[in-house]
């Protein structure tokens, strides 16, 4: 895990190396200052037979000032490089996670909730960033400071230094016990963060529904529950860690009392083995050692908190897409023909039931194929296999006479253009959104695609026309307008296969008919799959697929299905009588 994280330090290696060096320099100078203070007391104030030596005091004072200044500069340097290294590391982690998420198949994305990924890229990365900075600065500074201070203490008085050693051992045992108990709660708390973020995300994205059904109080209670779960976990963890401070304080004050008592006896004995200056230095080193332990305890707290976060980040970084390019991919698709050869598919490898069962279809290039079926009949699942949004479990899907798994992914998805069931527009102008289909498309090409999708009818009425700004999620355009922009965006790719997944459901029947007529006249060589609930949207298709429970119940022309397929006939009759829906529940799969 640590090795994987450190791979993202990259260009910040220099800053990461300089930070500990600066910290070591700061410690060396800080360690020398108490020693010089002892010399000033012994040789300056008490020197020259008790009369004092002003010149010696001034000289050593200047040296002490220089050491203090150099220690300050080293500390500042460590702070600057540490901040640069940790923030850069965090930036690289976020970018690496985001890049890897872009490669995920739908099956990979299904493993991580949206709120979970947001938590990983925000809270978890921030925790790792703080821990990394603490490790570079405090984790180097504190042990080195403790070792230097301990060495100087043993040099001055081994007897008193033994007190430090015993204190360090006792404190170390207590700190390990505290950290081990706190860690189990920190591991759980970030899963609770996922629930909290999910509550916020769901509420904000569905705020219109919440207000329409006057469910604000219910959503507030749900958020309060998620927030309380985070609070309770943190309280448990922080309660355990709170013992750290009193234990440290008791140890510090006990050490000071013991050193003062033992040191005083050593000074006032008939044969003194310690002088005042040395005792002063030892007290300073006592504070150095115990403050270093305090710093180490803070590092342990931060590392303990970040350990769970680091594991969650690495889970995303190490996740490999279940859909990848073959070793020698094909970069050209001959035509838009599609063949399903005994296809069986389920979303999870360990799932019991197949979503699609024994699918066999042979569709020629340029044909228009309608797909109709009840809710949950796997219409969307069927077309998702064409562009490898998922891979089949058994059998194979062929496009242009080749198994889709043999193609380069970008090539395949550029030639198979999909207008998904859930239409998404991004913040930016209409032109910006259209150029998702082809980033190099000219304005004239965008206008031509919009005419084909009957989107120019309303775009031309906007004051800014194609430069009209679309709000995030397309909230300032209607559902039908959004659908037509999405269709135009897909057409800009000039695909060999076009899939419309119930993409004209919000469009009136007259406009729907215009779009279908334009498709027949302007893109006759493009294979078109049209998923619809209205039979009027697909009755002119070359062939129509009737889906039921993941199987093909019927396949033929409108006239053939009216004669031979009871499901299709019932739907047609119900819709011509005015019902208009495929089934009572509505919706899509």
């Amino acid at each position: 895990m640590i090795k994987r994280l450190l791979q993202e330090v990259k260009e910040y290696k220099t800053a990461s190396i300089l930070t500990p060096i600066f910290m070591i320099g700061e410690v060396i100078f800080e360690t020398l200052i108490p020693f010089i203070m002892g010399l000033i007391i012994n040789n300056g104030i008490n020197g020259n037979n008790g009369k004092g030596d002003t010149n010696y005091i001034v000289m050593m004072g200047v040296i002490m000032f220089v050491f203090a200044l150099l220690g300050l500069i080293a500390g500042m340097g460590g702070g600057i490089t540490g901040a640069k290294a940790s923030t850069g590391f965090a930036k690289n982690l976020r970018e690496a996670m985001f890049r890897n998420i872009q490669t995920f198949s739908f099956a990979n994305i299904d493993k991580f909730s949206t709120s979970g990924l947001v938590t990983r890229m925000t809270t978890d990365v921030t925790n790792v960033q703080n821990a990394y900075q603490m490790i570079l600065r405090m984790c180097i500074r504190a042990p080195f400071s403790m070792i230097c201070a301990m060495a100087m203490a043993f040099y001055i008085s081994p007897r008193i230094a033994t007190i430090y050693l015993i204190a360090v051992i006792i404190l170390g045992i207590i700190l390990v016990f505290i950290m081990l108990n706190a860690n189990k709660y920190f591991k759980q708390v970030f899963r609770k963060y996922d629930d909290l973020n999910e509550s916020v995300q769901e509420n904000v994205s569905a705020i219109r529904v919440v207000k329409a059904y006057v469910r604000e109080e219910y959503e507030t209670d749900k958020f309060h529950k998620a927030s309380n779960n985070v609070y309770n976990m943190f309280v448990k963890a922080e309660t355990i860690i709170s013992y750290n401070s009193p234990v440290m304080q008791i140890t510090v004050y006990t050490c000071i009392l013991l050193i003062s008592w033992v040191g005083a006896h050593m000074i006032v004995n008939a044969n003194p083995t310690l002088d005042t200056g040395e005792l002063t230095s030892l007290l300073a080193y006592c504070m150095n050692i115990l403050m270093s332990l305090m710093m180490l305890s803070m590092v342990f707290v931060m590392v303990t908190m970040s350990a769970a976060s680091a594991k969650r980040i690495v889970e995303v970084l190490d996740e490999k897409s279940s859909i990848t390019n073959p070793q020698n991919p094909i970069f050209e698709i001959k035509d838009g023909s599609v063949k399903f050869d005994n296809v069986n598919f389920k979303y999870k490898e360990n799932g019991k039931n197949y979503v699609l069962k024994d699918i066999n279809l042979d569709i020629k290039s340029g044909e228009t194929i309608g797909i109709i079926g009840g809710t949950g009949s796997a219409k969307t699942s069927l077309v998702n296999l064409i562009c490898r949004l998922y891979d089949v479990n058994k059998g194979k899907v062929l496009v242009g006479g080749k198994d889709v798994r043999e193609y380069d992914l970008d090539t395949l998805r550029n030639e198979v253009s999909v207008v998904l069931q859930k239409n998404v527009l991004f913040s930016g102008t209409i032109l910006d959104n259209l150029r998702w289909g082809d980033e190099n498309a000219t304005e004239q090409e965008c206008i031509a695609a919009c005419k084909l999708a009957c989107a120019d009818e309303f775009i031309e009425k906007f004051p800014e026309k194609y430069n009209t700004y679309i709000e995030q999620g397309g909230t300032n355009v209607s559902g039908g307008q959004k659908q037509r922009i999405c269709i135009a965006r897909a057409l800009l790719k000039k695909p060999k296969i076009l899939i419309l997944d119930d993409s004209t459901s919000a469009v009136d029947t007259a406009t729907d008919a215009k779009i279908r007529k334009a498709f027949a006249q302007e893109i006759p060589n493009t294979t078109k799959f049209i998923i619809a609930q209205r039979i009027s949207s697909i009755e002119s298709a070359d062939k129509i697929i009737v889906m039921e429970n993941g199987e093909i119940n019927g396949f033929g022309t409108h006239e053939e299905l009216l004669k031979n397929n009871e499901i299709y006939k019932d739907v047609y009759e119900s819709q011509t009588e005015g019902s208009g829906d495929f089934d009572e529940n509505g919706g899509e799969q």
Side-chain angles (χ1 to χ4, degrees):
M1 181 176 75
I2 294 172
K3 185 179 178 181
R4 179 64 187 91
L5 288 174
L6 291 179
Q7 289 176 10
E8 301 304 325
V9 175
K10 294 179 180 177
E11 69 271 30
Y12 299 99
K13 286 180 182 176
T14 303
S16 298
I17 293 168
L18 284 175
T19 303
I21 293 172
F22 278 125
M23 291 296 99
I24 290 169
E26 183 185 20
V27 168
I28 290 170
F29 292 121
E30 284 186 356
T31 305
L32 290 172
I33 288 173
F35 185 71
I36 294 171
M37 286 172 58
L39 293 176
I40 290 174
I41 293 171
N42 289 339
N43 303 331
I45 297 172
N46 297 331
N48 196 15
N49 297 319
K51 295 179 181 178
D53 187 341
T54 306
N55 291 333
Y56 185 84
I57 293 171
V58 171
M59 181 183 71
M60 297 308 289
V62 169
I63 293 172
M64 191 164 68
F65 174 77
V66 171
F67 282 174
L69 185 62
L70 290 173
L72 177 64
I73 293 169
M76 288 174 62
I80 293 168
T81 54
K84 184 178 179 182
S86 60
T87 52
F89 177 49
K91 182 200 74 171
N92 287 346
L93 279 178
R94 289 192 179 100
E95 287 181 356
M97 289 172 70
F98 190 79
R99 279 197 305 271
N100 200 39
I101 290 168
Q102 300 310 301
T103 69
F104 284 0
S105 66
F106 282 13
N108 295 112
I109 291 172
D110 291 343
K111 289 175 64 176
F112 301 97
S113 67
T114 303
S115 57
L117 289 172
V118 170
T119 305
R120 284 168 165 85
M121 295 188 71
T122 51
T123 306
D124 288 332
V125 172
T126 301
N127 287 337
V128 171
Q129 173 187 338
N130 292 336
Y132 187 62
Q133 185 173 27
M134 293 282 279
I135 288 168
L136 289 179
R137 296 185 64 195
M138 299 303 175
C139 207
I140 300 297
R141 186 188 191 285
F144 192 72
S145 176
M146 189 165 61
I147 291 167
C148 288
M150 189 74 77
M152 293 299 293
F154 270 101
Y155 174 75
I156 294 170
S157 174
R159 183 181 172 187
I160 291 181
T162 306
I163 296 172
Y164 301 153
L165 191 58
I166 294 169
V168 167
I169 292 170
I170 293 171
L171 268 178
I173 293 169
I174 294 171
L175 286 178
V176 168
F177 178 78
I178 289 172
M179 292 306 107
L180 288 175
N181 280 276
N183 189 44
K184 62 182 180 183
Y185 293 111
F186 283 124
K187 284 181 179 178
Q188 297 176 45
V189 76
F190 296 108
R191 287 195 289 270
K192 301 298 181 183
Y193 262 127
D194 289 352
D195 297 338
L196 186 69
N197 286 340
E198 185 176 5
S199 175
V200 175
Q201 180 196 357
E202 190 175 54
N203 179 266
V204 172
S205 60
I207 192 66
R208 289 171 175 80
V209 178
V210 173
K211 290 187 176 297
Y213 285 88
V214 197
R215 298 285 282 177
E216 291 93 340
E217 188 174 340
Y218 170 79
E219 287 294 314
T220 302
D221 289 342
K222 190 166 74 171
F223 177 82
H224 180 70
K225 183 179 179 181
S227 181
N228 263 354
N229 287 336
V230 173
Y231 165 79
N232 290 332
M233 281 297 170
F234 263 123
V235 166
K236 289 176 182 177
E238 296 290 348
T239 300
I240 295 170
I241 287 174
S242 66
Y243 291 114
N244 183 45
S245 183
V247 168
M248 290 294 301
Q249 302 235 355
I250 290 168
T251 308
V252 168
Y253 296 136
T254 302
C255 279
I256 290 173
L257 286 171
L258 285 172
I259 291 165
S260 300
W261 186 72
V262 174
H265 278 75
M266 291 172 71
I267 291 171
V268 299
N269 275 341
N271 297 310
T273 54
L274 193 71
D275 53 42
T276 308
E278 289 173 333
L279 179 60
T280 304
S281 298
L282 285 168
L283 286 169
Y285 288 134
C286 171
M287 292 305 297
N288 267 9
I289 291 169
L290 298 176
M291 287 309 294
S292 296
L293 274 174
M294 183 80 79
M295 290 178 195
L296 271 178
S297 70
M298 291 170 61
V299 173
F300 284 136
V301 170
M302 191 58 68
V303 169
T304 300
M305 287 180 63
S306 66
S309 294
K311 185 178 179 182
R312 286 157 54 85
I313 291 169
V314 171
E315 283 176 358
V316 177
L317 292 176
D318 284 348
E319 180 73 14
K320 302 298 181 186
S321 177
S322 59
I323 294 177
T324 56
N325 270 349
Q327 286 188 345
N328 298 301
I330 300 171
F331 290 94
E332 185 178 353
I333 297 177
K334 183 177 69 174
D335 56 41
S337 62
V338 177
K339 184 177 181 180
F340 286 79
D341 185 6
N342 198 31
V343 167
N344 288 269
F345 168 72
K346 53 186 174 183
Y347 283 102
K348 294 183 178 180
E349 286 290 336
N350 56 356
K352 292 182 179 179
N353 300 318
Y354 284 101
V355 176
L356 291 168
K357 299 176 280 284
D358 302 321
I359 305 296
N360 288 283
L361 290 167
D362 195 352
I363 296 154
K364 296 180 177 64
S365 181
E367 283 189 328
T368 298
I369 306 298
I371 304 175
I372 197 166
T375 302
S377 60
K379 303 184 294 297
T380 298
S381 300
L382 181 74
V383 295
N384 279 345
L385 300 178
I386 299 173
C387 54
R388 281 196 80 194
L389 294 179
Y390 293 94
D391 271 340
V392 299
N393 299 96
K394 294 181 182 178
K396 55 186 175 179
V397 178
L398 296 92
V399 170
K402 300 286 184 181
D403 192 323
V404 291
R405 290 169 290 196
E406 296 178 20
Y407 287 112
D408 170 68
L409 268 174
D410 289 347
T411 301
L412 177 66
R413 289 175 182 172
N414 277 324
E415 294 291 5
V416 182
S417 196
V418 184
V419 183
L420 295 170
Q421 192 173 12
K422 186 177 180 181
N423 299 287
V424 176
L425 294 178
F426 299 88
S427 54
T429 64
I430 291 176
L431 278 176
D432 291 335
N433 274 277
L434 291 170
R435 283 176 178 144
W436 273 70
D438 180 0
E439 60 184 355
N440 298 314
T442 64
E443 187 169 346
Q444 290 306 313
E445 287 174 326
C446 292
I447 292 171
C450 286
K451 286 181 178 177
L452 199 57
C454 295
D456 63 312
E457 297 174 0
F458 66 86
I459 293 174
E460 291 293 342
K461 294 177 182 178
F462 291 145
E464 299 293 325
K465 296 186 173 18
Y466 285 84
N467 290 313
T468 300
Y469 189 82
I470 300 293
E471 300 292 341
Q472 185 178 7
T475 54
N476 58 332
V477 290
S478 70
Q481 291 171 340
K482 189 189 297 185
Q483 284 186 338
R484 283 180 275 176
I485 292 173
C486 289
I487 293 171
R489 180 173 67 189
L491 291 171
L492 271 173
K493 294 176 75 172
K494 300 179 180 64
K496 286 187 170 65
I497 299 171
L498 176 66
I499 298 171
L500 303 179
D501 188 353
D502 204 16
S503 303
T504 56
S505 58
V507 175
D508 61 86
T509 51
T511 304
D512 187 13
K514 284 183 184 178
I515 293 172
R516 285 185 282 111
K517 184 179 179 181
F519 283 175
Q521 293 175 349
E522 301 298 329
I523 52 172
N525 297 322
T526 298
T527 306
K528 298 166 281 289
F529 288 86
I530 302 172
I531 296 175
Q533 290 287 356
R534 294 186 301 227
I535 284 184
S536 61
S537 297
I538 57 172
E539 63 182 343
S540 59
D542 297 311
K543 295 285 178 64
I544 298 168
I545 301 168
V546 179
M547 298 291 297
E548 184 183 31
N549 298 325
E551 298 178 324
I552 295 175
N553 183 271
F555 182 56
T557 63
H558 173 67
E559 292 75 15
E560 290 171 347
L561 291 172
L562 277 179
K563 293 178 181 177
N564 305 323
N565 190 274
E566 288 299 321
I567 294 176
Y568 190 83
K569 184 180 178 181
D570 289 345
V571 175
Y572 177 76
E573 289 175 353
S574 66
Q575 290 189 0
T576 52
E577 289 171 4
S579 169
D581 278 335
F582 185 88
D583 57 24
E584 292 182 0
N585 295 323
E588 279 291 319
Q589 165 66 25

